[in-house]
Amino acid sequence: MSSTTRRALVAGSAVAAIAAALGVDRRAYAQAGTRLRAFWWGNPDRDKRTRAALDAYKAKAGTDISAEALGWGDYWTKLGTQTAGGNAPDLIQMDYRYLFEYARRDTLLPLDKMSPKPLDLGTFADAARDCGKVDGKLYGVTLGTNSKAMVYDTAMFEKVGVKALDPNWTWDDFARIAGEISKIKPAKYWGSGDNSRWEQGFEHYLNQRGKWLYTPEGKAAFTRDDVTAWFDLWDKLRKSGAVAPAEIGASNTGAIDQYEISRGTAAMSFANSNQIVAFQGISKSKLAISVFPNEKGAASGHYIKPAMMMSVSAKSKAPEEAARIINFLVNEPDGVKALGIERGVPPSSIAQGLLTADLDDLGKLQLNYVSAVTKVAVALPPPPPKGAGEIEKLLQRVADSVAFGRASVKDGAAQFFTEVESILARA
Amino acid sequence: MRFPMTTILGFSRRDLTGYLFLGPWLIGFIVFTLGPVLASLYLSFTRFDLLTAPRWIGIDNYVRMFTGDYRFWQALKVTFTYLLFEVPLKLAFALLIATLLDKAVRGGGFYRALFYIPSLLGGSVAIAVLWRQLFEGNGTVNQILHGLFGIQGPSWISNPNTAVYTLVILAIWQFGSPMIIFLAGLRQIPTDLYEAASMDGASKFRQFRRITLPLLAPVIFFNMVLQVIEGFKAFTPAFIISGGTGGPVDSTLFYTLFLYQEAFAYFRMGYAAALAWVLLLIIGGFTALSFLTSKYWVHYEDER
């Protein structure tokens, strides 16, 4: 190579490197229109659907939207960092758990003035709209509603003679069915995953007893005895062999493919109704969903949750356009059909009308489930306070140490309760 | 003044040229390293949750760490357990392989490259995922144990008693870089010493103890300091294998993982910054201790 061409090559690649370093994107020149960023937590199926919906919007309005998706845990880390750095994405997928924190720090845009144009929320039932409100102002628009659900393997249930699961089933029924399934492949496959470590499971147990996890003031709304009863329930189930042992439970990281039912170690896992789509995507056998087991005559404990909301960053340079995109996702046929029912049952009547016509089996299963649960649902609990995320992890640790026999049920409950109070006091 | 015309602000022109060349690096260092380091020192005395401005709270973070946070002590315990097993075993293994490769075996270069490969891969996410699959309940290790000996092994990574040792094994497996350094060290030892020793009838083991080890001491020392620092900084394997929790029951809660959780899971940036400074002091303390004690067991050839 002669020295001239080498110099040209070096210079050329240096320019390219500088351009890359400065984030110069050729598409930015080509497209003079608005460019927005959308960010959500998801799974491969959700990501595909959401990108398709955003592409459909681009085809319609010409707006370029750069999309990014992460898993639940990493999502909040990155969103927190970006928000602090003043470059939050325009469209933010928001959870009920964090809505209040973000809204009260003025990082989200109130959307009241955007309705009915460009964002029409007249199609929403009042409850579905109001769950996105903080201190009277609207900060989040629900994309779908769900409720907690027990996901189970129908083939395994049939093997032990359960053709149709009674929606009024009790914890005793649960212990019996799980125990029988555990006998099919002893020490390899169990009736159910261990649910003692799942914060939402504990919350549900409290809801069944007419209590909440947190008070509206952000204090613990349960007692030490509630925790003891919860740990004791699962301790007995573990010892009887009905639910998987500690080692299996401790390896569930909370990603869909790490649940017992996905890894082929148990016939039941506790999750949320919209996740049936993702679970079925992994499982070879036919899955179904049911309400959680209960005490006879007690409240169902289920509530209808705004599963995923869309919020707009307070720093967005194109808030109107962002609101228009949300409207596209909840009200317009192309957006609604692309998203489908993966995020839960869509709240707008237009979307429901569009989807019910051509729902697949999983969609129908979900829709029927949510409408059945709606009839017995308890009220939406107050939003979790700051520090709730830490308490979620704390429960995993303490429940695991009880499961591994490192702490007694009583000591574990005492430890959990004491630490919850200190975390909430510190937050 | 000898160069009145060429002196600008006290720098000679020659110095200035030097600084000019140093400039890009210096700017990078100040902006991207020194600046953040100083900022983190300030933040360690504040309460900072990313979304609202930092608030000065004095030494509260440090007080809490030592008096009110049992996870801090758990993180230290895990990290020290890890170091206690990982550093000596890895060094012993690296030295063993280096001694074998030092003999002129055929294809020595090939084996050297082969043994080095784990060090290139070991820190990656892919290997951590692989490790998870090797050591889980129905993983490869248990299948081999079951097939060969009929033993039903536990789920190594989900058991709080064994989880940290799977990470120790992962670290030992990456013995490549100390091995290469040992090899270089072994080549420096004059062969006539061994020849003289064999003449006197010293066994191979005695030669190793009396000649190799003492003459290799500076290299062992160097490797040890390096490995201890690396060990304190270990993060990726524990993060991936425990799904970021440090579980089960905090049994793989490395100090760095604990710091990461406090910072990016619970948004206590101030507390995390304080943790980072304590880690720096611990590593600095260990290195200083190593250097202070080294004069009793490390002998350099130029010393008398």
Side-chain angles (χ1 to χ4, degrees), chain A residues 7-288:
Chain A
R7 194 177 298 150
L9 189 77
V10 169
S13 47
V15 169
I18 291 167
L22 295 176
V24 178
D25 190 332
R26 279 187 297 125
R27 276 176 304 171
Y29 292 121
Q31 183 91 29
T34 341
R35 184 178 169 84
L36 284 88
R37 283 160 59 217
F39 191 27
W40 66 90
W41 72 88
N43 57 57
D45 186 44
R46 179 177 307 154
D47 303 345
K48 213 168 75 191
R49 287 168 181 276
T50 315
R51 282 177 208 279
L54 296 178
D55 285 346
Y57 185 80
K58 190 192 170 184
K60 176 182 165 252
T63 307
D64 212 358
I65 305 161
S66 95
E68 193 185 351
L70 283 176
W72 168 267
D74 300 328
Y75 177 81
W76 295 104
T77 302
K78 185 152 187 184
L79 183 64
T81 318
Q82 289 194 342
T83 307
N87 61 344
D90 300 272
L91 286 164
I92 302 168
Q93 185 168 299
M94 195 33 72
D95 185 69
Y96 187 60
R97 178 184 287 274
Y98 291 97
L99 177 72
F100 288 67
E101 207 173 323
Y102 274 83
R104 285 183 179 151
R105 282 172 173 156
D106 298 327
T107 60
L108 301 180
L109 189 78
L111 297 169
D112 305 83
K113 283 193 193 118
M114 302 285 184
S115 186
K117 255 189 176 330
L119 175 58
D120 184 9
L121 295 178
T123 58
F124 280 44
D126 288 353
R129 188 190 59 231
D130 291 348
C131 61
K133 282 189 176 170
V134 176
D135 305 327
K137 279 193 232 162
L138 185 74
Y139 288 96
V141 176
T142 308
L143 293 181
T145 53
N146 67 9
S147 189
K148 278 166 227 159
M150 191 277 289
V151 183
Y152 66 100
D153 185 327
T154 52
M156 282 309 195
F157 271 58
E158 275 170 29
K159 267 192 193 163
V160 296
V162 183
K163 285 248 159 55
L165 187 55
D166 179 5
N168 293 314
W169 69 322
T170 63
W171 284 108
D172 290 338
D173 296 329
F174 172 76
R176 181 175 49 77
I177 296 171
E180 280 171 23
I181 293 175
S182 292
K183 282 182 200 139
I184 299 174
K185 276 187 266 175
K188 280 207 168 359
Y189 191 86
W190 288 267
S192 167
D194 186 345
N195 201 25
S196 61
R197 62 204 299 278
W198 193 42
E199 177 228 32
Q200 293 187 44
F202 179 51
E203 181 196 34
H204 194 103
Y205 184 71
L206 293 170
N207 293 159
Q208 289 180 338
R209 300 176 143 209
K211 295 185 179 187
W212 279 329
L213 194 53
Y214 302 110
T215 67
E217 297 76 35
K219 300 267 177 294
F222 54 92
T223 65
R224 185 179 309 201
D225 291 342
D226 293 322
V227 191
T228 313
W230 172 249
F231 282 165
D232 190 52
L233 172 74
W234 290 94
D235 196 52
K236 290 205 172 87
L237 286 164
R238 245 187 332 260
K239 283 181 177 147
S240 76
V243 309
E247 278 172 8
I248 303 283
S251 59
N252 181 354
T253 57
I256 298 281
D257 60 345
Q258 298 296 320
Y259 274 76
E260 291 80 359
I261 196 162
S262 302
R263 294 166 63 102
T265 49
M268 294 183 245
S269 279
F270 291 83
N272 287 296
S273 59
N274 64 308
Q275 290 172 319
I276 178 76
V277 180
F279 277 115
Q280 187 64 75
I282 291 171
S283 179
K284 287 192 191 83
S285 35
K286 190 166 172 289
L287 304 180

Side-chain angles (χ1 to χ4, degrees), chain B:
Chain B
M1 230 182 268
R2 281 173 66 197
F3 305 106
M5 293 304 288
T6 53
T7 305
I8 304 160
L9 296 169
F11 290 111
S12 78
R13 177 167 285 177
R14 222 181 57 182
D15 284 355
L16 204 66
T17 316
Y19 282 113
L20 208 64
F21 274 107
L22 199 61
W25 179 84
L26 207 61
I27 291 168
F29 175 74
I30 291 170
V31 174
F32 295 114
T33 305
L34 192 63
V37 166
L38 292 178
S40 100
L41 181 61
Y42 162 71
L43 287 176
S44 77
F45 296 103
T46 65
R47 196 188 149 111
F48 179 38
D49 66 0
L50 275 185
L51 295 181
T52 38
R55 187 160 55 81
W56 184 266
I57 53 167
I59 58 165
D60 280 11
N61 284 331
Y62 293 93
V63 171
R64 181 187 156 78
M65 202 182 303
F66 288 100
T67 59
D69 193 349
Y70 73 96
R71 292 192 85 209
F72 169 72
W73 298 106
Q74 173 67 16
L76 281 180
K77 195 181 127 197
V78 170
T79 309
F80 279 106
T81 311
Y82 174 77
L83 283 174
L84 194 67
F85 286 92
E86 184 248 355
V87 175
L89 286 174
K90 188 191 211 168
L91 291 185
F93 203 63
L95 184 55
L96 176 76
I97 303 290
T99 318
L100 293 178
L101 286 180
D102 187 40
K103 306 279 175 289
V105 282
R106 198 193 299 189
F110 171 73
Y111 285 112
R112 211 159 50 222
L114 197 68
F115 286 127
Y116 193 78
I117 288 176
S119 302
L120 296 175
L121 305 175
S124 70
V125 171
I127 291 296
V129 171
L130 176 78
W131 225 249
R132 202 182 152 88
Q133 293 186 347
L134 281 178
F135 286 98
E136 66 187 8
N138 52 359
T140 317
V141 169
N142 279 347
Q143 283 172 9
I144 292 171
L145 282 180
H146 188 70
L148 290 183
F149 308 107
I151 303 169
Q152 190 57 56
S155 173
W156 305 95
I157 54 158
S158 323
N159 188 317
N161 297 319
T162 54
V164 73
Y165 300 105
T166 65
L167 295 175
V168 168
I169 294 172
L170 175 58
I172 295 171
W173 183 58
Q174 302 163 50
F175 60 88
S177 72
M179 176 193 78
I180 295 290
I181 299 171
F182 277 138
L183 260 173
L186 287 170
R187 299 268 152 98
Q188 295 293 314
I189 301 175
T191 42
D192 45 356
L193 290 177
Y194 292 107
E195 280 161 18
S198 352
M199 295 279 223
D200 293 341
S203 68
K204 286 279 174 209
F205 179 68
R206 202 179 161 86
Q207 288 178 22
F208 179 77
R209 234 176 44 141
R210 295 290 177 171
I211 302 172
T212 315
L213 276 187
L215 287 177
L216 209 57
V219 180
I220 298 177
F221 174 69
F222 174 76
N223 266 337
M224 189 195 79
V225 171
L226 227 60
Q227 291 305 320
V228 167
I229 294 174
E230 289 264 300
F232 272 115
K233 284 160 56 189
F235 175 78
T236 318
F239 181 81
I240 303 293
I241 286 176
S242 70
T245 62
V249 205
D250 280 351
S251 62
T252 58
L253 187 72
F254 285 179
Y255 194 96
T256 49
L257 188 53
F258 175 53
L259 193 159
Y260 172 85
Q261 285 182 359
E262 289 290 324
F264 295 105
Y266 309 143
F267 296 119
R268 285 195 280 261
M269 292 294 162
Y271 190 59
L275 283 170
W277 276 89
V278 169
L279 178 62
L280 179 74
L281 292 180
I282 293 174
I283 295 179
F286 250 79
T287 314
L289 192 73
S290 307
F291 274 96
L292 286 177
T293 58
S294 71
K295 63 172 176 237
Y296 299 108
W297 62 279
V298 178
H299 300 282
Y300 294 91
E301 270 188 86
D302 52 359
E303 286 176 341
R304 278 290 169 266

